[in-house]
Amino acid sequence: MSVLEVRNLEKRFEHTRVLNDISFTLEQGQALSIIGSSGSGKTTLLRCLNFLERPNGGSISVNGETLFDANDPATQDERRIRAKRLHFGLVFQSFNLFPQYTALENVTLARELLSKANGSESKAEIRDAGRELLAQMGLADRASHYPHQLSGGQQQRVAIARALALHPDILCFDEPTSALDPELTGEVLRVIRNLAEQKTTMIIVTHEMAFARDVADRVIFMDGGFIVEQGDPKEVIDNPKEERTRKFLANYARN
Amino acid sequence: MLLTVTVTLLEGFGTTLKLFLLTLVFALPLGLVISFGSMSRFTPLRCLTQTFVWIIRGSPLLLQILIIFYGPGLLFHLPLLPRFTAALLSFVINYACYFSEIYRGGIQSVPRGQYEAGQVLGMTPSQIFFRITLLQVIKRIIPPMGNELITLVKDTALVRVIGVYEIIWTGESFTKKGLIWPLFYTGLFYLIFNGGLTILFRKIEEKLDYFK
Ligand SMILES: Nc1ncnc2c1ncn2[C@@H]1O[C@H](COP(=O)(O)OP(=O)(O)OP(=O)(O)O)[C@@H](O)[C@H]1O
Ligand SMILES: [Mg+2]
């Protein structure tokens, strides 16, 4: 059974159709890359999966449970969305760390709030887990720094630790390195590569073609809100079948 | 003589201070309610609130004091409000509108990504408000709030038009005896009080300086 199954997802903003008939599956421990030109709907897709946008059609299932189905109002209850969100984690392009909290507090806050509700873990346990995650990101010595005292690459790694702290089934990245100076992208990509080696189930929207090709198990190429081509990353990126994929990649190589 | 003047001025300053503090007690929360109205997604409520704020901010406070004091009697043959109550009511309404705009600016300046980061971490709207946005809003509204409070202290002098005797009126009463220095002395009260406010707000700003 697939971890994630997306069926015929549709999203419209007023009269523009931003996602059309998006269907794909993701297996446990796989990394999926989504590539495509600006405006092709990549961010909107991730936002739909994280319930930041409500799709107009289609369904989303995780581990066989239907989290959203446009035809089934019972799956759209606002009060249950919060729990459903926890199946997914999202790392934003612009980090969105909480400025008034230290790196460690950013990582632990949500888990502390959750365990306050169901009393499962002690504060100390949560803090230890948070420290461990920061260490895994290579930030052990930055735990008590505030976001404005960190570089962009460090901030993004804190954001990744923050998302991992809730143990999402699927971790989503929206162009995690495109807000970074070129010399800082490496450290963030390295962390994501490590996660892939540890078989973290991930969806990575990226413009780093070489990274997508090497790290992902599968790749999806989107254009105009459609999935144009999907498959093995080396196949798709080295030998694209579709004309539009070829054009996009050729454009890419030129820049 | 200095003692008599001091005692008289202190009495007037008591009224000033009472008006200042009571205005804050009522206008700070009321301003928050008004700011929610002016940001409402329900268009009629938003338009109504914004029009009200425009009227109150666009017309002189002095005029509002006079209308609230004389209006009910002349329009509806109601008994006059006690003078201090009328003064307080006009200040609360007026300052709540100013505060609401400050709150609105502060709330809207928190990036949408902050709310969304909280949402995807499974936080409830109230957790997002209290744990994430509130402190960021406070940090942003402290400087304009400081300005507004200093203006409020000075505006309290207006209530003399409906016979509420605040400190400037008491200071002026000594000119009938040919004395000018009590007026300067009055000014000193304002300077010291506003100096204190300035220091207080600077302290709060420094306290919140640990994040950006
Ligand atoms: N809230 C919104 N309201 C209206 N239109 C929107 C909204 N969000 C996105 N769109 C539109 O949807 C389309 C897809 O946007 P999206 O951000 O998903 O693209 P993207 O593939 O992530 O692009 P980029 O590579 O530039 O990040 C664009 O045409 C965009 O203008
Ligand atoms: Mg995008």
Side-chain angles (χ1 to χ4, degrees), chain A residues 47 50 52 82 85-86 88 90 92 96-101 109-110 113-114 116 146 148 162-163 166, chain B residues 112-114 116-125 127 130-136 209-212:
Chain A
R47 291 174 60 84
N50 283 275
L52 292 175
R82 214 160 50 81
R85 281 200 173 108
L86 295 176
F88 295 89
L90 178 59
F92 298 86
N96 296 342
L97 291 181
F98 307 130
Q100 73 267 44
Y101 293 117
L109 178 65
L113 293 173
L114 279 177
K116 211 182 262 176
Y146 287 94
H148 76 274
R162 178 175 73 175
L166 295 180
Chain B
R112 206 164 60 121
Q114 292 288 307
E116 293 183 346
Q119 285 179 314
V120 298
L121 290 166
M123 296 184 196
T124 63
Q127 287 172 338
F130 286 108
R131 297 306 198 95
I132 298 174
T133 49
L134 183 60
L135 196 61
Q136 297 182 40
D209 236 10
Y210 71 92
F211 72 91
K212 296 232 154 51

Side-chain angles (χ1 to χ4, degrees), chain A residues 101-139:
Chain A
Y101 293 117
T102 62
L104 181 61
E105 289 165 342
N106 264 278
V107 175
T108 55
L109 178 65
R111 197 150 142 195
E112 277 172 13
L113 293 173
L114 279 177
S115 82
K116 211 182 262 176
N118 55 30
S120 49
E121 287 174 305
S122 74
K123 253 195 149 114
E125 285 173 313
I126 296 174
R127 305 220 122 204
D128 288 345
R131 281 216 169 77
E132 190 148 317
L133 277 169
L134 284 175
Q136 201 184 319
M137 298 293 124
L139 293 169

Side-chain angles (χ1 to χ4, degrees), chain A residues 23 41 55 62 68 84 99 102 145-146 162 167 170 202 229 246 251:
Chain A
S23 298
V62 170
F68 176 87
K84 294 177 180 179
T102 62
H145 284 56
Y146 287 94
R162 178 175 73 175
H167 304 300
I170 300 142
M202 298 187 285
E229 190 165 347
R246 229 167 295 166
N251 244 331

Side-chain angles (χ1 to χ4, degrees), chain A residues 146 148, chain B residues 135 138-140 142-143 197-212:
Chain A
Y146 287 94
H148 76 274
Chain B
L135 196 61
I138 291 175
K139 182 181 169 80
R140 286 182 173 90
I142 285 297
L197 273 182
T198 308
I199 292 169
L200 176 70
F201 271 79
R202 200 168 295 156
K203 280 260 163 356
I204 301 176
E205 267 181 63
E206 279 167 18
K207 268 240 151 34
L208 293 174
D209 236 10
Y210 71 92
F211 72 91
K212 296 232 154 51

Side-chain angles (χ1 to χ4, degrees), chain B residues 36-48:
Chain B
F36 288 147
S38 66
M39 290 183 289
S40 169
R41 260 177 287 182
F42 182 56
T43 312
L45 176 62
R46 187 179 64 244
C47 290
L48 208 69

